[in-house]
């Protein structure tokens, strides 16, 4: 195998490694987002429960004030009842008392319904708080794992970039510029390996004569399909 081919192969392996690391890093935002969404939903549900509970309590306080006002009115009518002098006045005040009682009863029913509602919301609260706590714990574990993985991937990418700088310097200027141009145009992969008679990147089957040529390992070929530089791995399997 010529040095030129060997240098291309070295670069190819480094770039494939970098591409794999980049692809792994690119998945992180989605993996974070799934947990952030779950966290936001759990916080929202818990907050909604608290808000509904506070609202029901507020409404119940208003109704309790109304009940107190009805009690005051009823006491006043009872006093009037003791002072009435004829049957007609007596019946009129009795009528007022009955009306106040009826209204008080309605309001009291509504207040009890609100109390029921508050109790239901309070009963649901621990489950919701627990769900949020679990979401927070799960997210913390995942975020820590992702942070650790990202730090490792970035360190490996930096190491690969340093090796790459050395490897790219071994190509002559025209070869380097062709390699970098192809790499830019072809999703970070300038070189493809021959795999079962086809391009390992775009999978286009190559003419048999190309495979024979590749086996000689004397010059770089171009894929018919994607235009990438096409070659067989070194026979010794080594990168350099
Ligand atoms: Zn191809």
């Amino acid at each position: 195998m010529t040095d030129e081919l060997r240098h291309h192969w070295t670069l190819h392996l480094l770039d494939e490694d970098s591409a794999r690391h980049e692809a792994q890093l690119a998945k992180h935002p989605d993996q974070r987002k799934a947990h952030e969404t779950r966290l936001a939903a759990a916080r929202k549900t818990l907050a909604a429960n608290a808000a509904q509970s506070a609202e029901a309590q507020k409404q119940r306080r208003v109704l309790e004030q109304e009940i107190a006002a009805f009690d005051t009115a009823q006491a006043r009518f009872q006093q009037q009842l003791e002072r009435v002098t004829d049957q007609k006045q007596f019946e009129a005040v009795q009528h007022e008392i009955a009306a106040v009682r009826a209204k008080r009863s309605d309001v009291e029913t509504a207040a009890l319904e609100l109390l029921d509602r508050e109790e239901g919301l309070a009963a649901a609260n621990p489950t919701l708080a627990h769900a949020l706590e679990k979401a927070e714990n799960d997210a913390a574990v995942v975020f820590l794992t992702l942070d650790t993985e990202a730090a490792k991937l970035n360190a490996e990418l930096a190491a690969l970039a340093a090796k790459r700088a050395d490897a790219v310097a071994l190509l002559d200027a025209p070869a380097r510029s062709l390699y970098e141009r192809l790499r830019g145009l072809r999703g970070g992969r300038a070189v493809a390996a021959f795999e079962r008679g086809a391009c390992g990147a775009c999978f286009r089957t190559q003419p048999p004569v190309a495979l024979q040529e590749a086996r000689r390992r004397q010059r770089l070929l171009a894929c018919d399909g994607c235009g990438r530089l096409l070659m067989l791995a070194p026979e010794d399997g080594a990168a350099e």
Side-chain angles (χ1 to χ4, degrees):
M1 178 179 251
T2 64
D3 280 350
E4 193 197 17
L5 261 67
R6 200 169 277 279
H7 298 331
H8 275 85
W9 188 255
T10 303
L11 258 182
H12 159 70
L13 293 180
L14 291 171
D15 283 345
E16 291 285 308
D17 251 7
S18 295
R20 265 195 300 278
H21 289 20
E22 298 280 8
Q24 196 63 29
L25 272 177
K27 288 182 198 160
H28 283 198
D30 277 353
Q31 288 170 330
R32 280 179 187 278
K33 186 139 183 54
H35 283 274
E36 276 157 6
T37 305
R38 183 178 156 211
L39 270 177
R43 287 195 183 112
K44 198 174 156 190
T45 311
L46 189 65
N49 181 280
Q52 285 168 13
S53 182
E55 180 58 28
Q57 199 176 66
K58 195 173 124 192
Q59 287 176 10
R60 186 164 57 82
R61 296 266 179 272
V62 171
L63 297 183
E64 280 166 356
Q65 282 169 6
E66 287 179 24
I67 289 168
F70 287 135
D71 286 345
T72 307
Q74 201 181 322
R76 202 174 60 237
F77 285 129
Q78 289 290 355
Q79 286 169 358
Q80 279 184 29
L81 211 52
E82 288 162 18
R83 293 196 299 272
V84 295
T85 49
D86 62 39
Q87 183 64 19
K88 199 178 163 194
Q89 279 179 349
F90 182 82
E91 280 170 12
V93 176
Q94 284 281 37
H95 184 76
E96 294 287 358
I97 289 172
V100 169
R101 276 192 184 140
K103 281 188 218 162
R104 187 193 188 282
S105 170
D106 288 349
V107 172
E108 194 168 29
T109 302
L112 286 172
E113 280 168 5
L114 284 170
L115 189 61
D116 267 359
R117 187 166 158 66
E118 284 169 53
E119 283 169 0
L121 290 164
N125 194 69
T127 308
L128 299 178
H130 181 71
L132 174 57
E133 197 186 334
K134 183 153 178 13
E136 281 171 342
N137 290 341
D138 290 353
V141 171
V142 169
F143 291 166
L144 181 64
T145 307
L146 289 177
D147 286 347
T148 309
E149 187 178 283
K152 189 165 164 259
L153 288 169
N154 281 317
E156 284 170 12
L157 280 168
L160 285 168
K163 283 187 200 165
R164 186 182 198 281
D166 292 343
V168 89
L170 297 173
L171 298 186
D172 62 30
R176 191 184 313 154
S177 103
L178 174 63
Y179 185 97
E180 298 293 27
R181 197 169 67 243
L182 277 172
R183 182 167 173 256
L185 289 171
R186 295 285 178 263
R189 303 173 79 186
V191 168
F194 240 118
E195 286 170 10
R196 291 184 217 92
C199 168
C202 76
F203 311 113
R204 168 79 67 93
T205 304
Q206 306 294 316
V209 65
L211 186 56
Q212 284 168 20
E213 182 84 6
R215 284 203 179 107
R216 282 200 278 278
R217 292 181 170 82
Q218 292 303 306
R219 65 178 193 92
L220 287 163
L221 304 169
C223 167
D224 281 353
C226 64
R228 287 186 180 88
L229 301 170
L230 200 54
M231 60 185 293
L232 279 169
E235 281 169 309
D236 56 13
E240 185 64 73

